[in-house]
Amino acid sequence: MVVNTRYLSAVCDFEIRTSMSFHDTGLSIAILLAVVKTLILLVGSVITFFAYKAYRRTRQRALGLLAVGFGLVTLGLVLAGLLYELLGVSLMMGILLESLLMFAGFLIIAHSLYVT
């Protein structure tokens, strides 16, 4: 049986490059996720700030609720990763807490839009 060493070498080289690029891709996705979560935190904080500022100016209850709702949604979107990375909470528990905060925030936003 004749083995083509050039083919075998190419296959082994492909497997090595594939496994290395997979690891690099995972790292790239983690970095992109951190960047996107940071942007969400910044934009959500700005929206919350402007809603609160409008509430302070007008003293309308709906705007105050809107500010609280956006604050909870923003906090919820960032919370799972922070709990997992900094406090060692399991990822599933972090996602559950994140989802509960987002749910509460959306309920408050919906209520603020309903209140006259």
Side-chain angles (χ1 to χ4, degrees), residues 13-35:
D13 185 45
F14 175 76
E15 287 177 1
I16 290 171
R17 281 186 289 143
T18 303
S19 67
M20 287 173 44
S21 66
F22 176 75
H23 178 70
D24 294 340
T25 302
L27 184 60
S28 299
I29 291 173
I31 291 171
L32 285 174
L33 183 61
V35 168

Side-chain angles (χ1 to χ4, degrees), residues 24-61:
D24 294 340
T25 302
L27 184 60
S28 299
I29 291 173
I31 291 171
L32 285 174
L33 183 61
V35 168
V36 169
K37 288 287 191 172
T38 302
L39 290 173
I40 289 170
L41 178 64
L42 292 173
V43 173
S45 297
V46 167
I47 292 170
T48 303
F49 172 73
F50 284 135
Y52 178 71
K53 192 173 169 183
Y55 165 72
R56 274 194 6 220
R57 187 175 55 248
T58 64
R59 292 295 180 197
Q60 292 183 2
R61 183 171 180 255

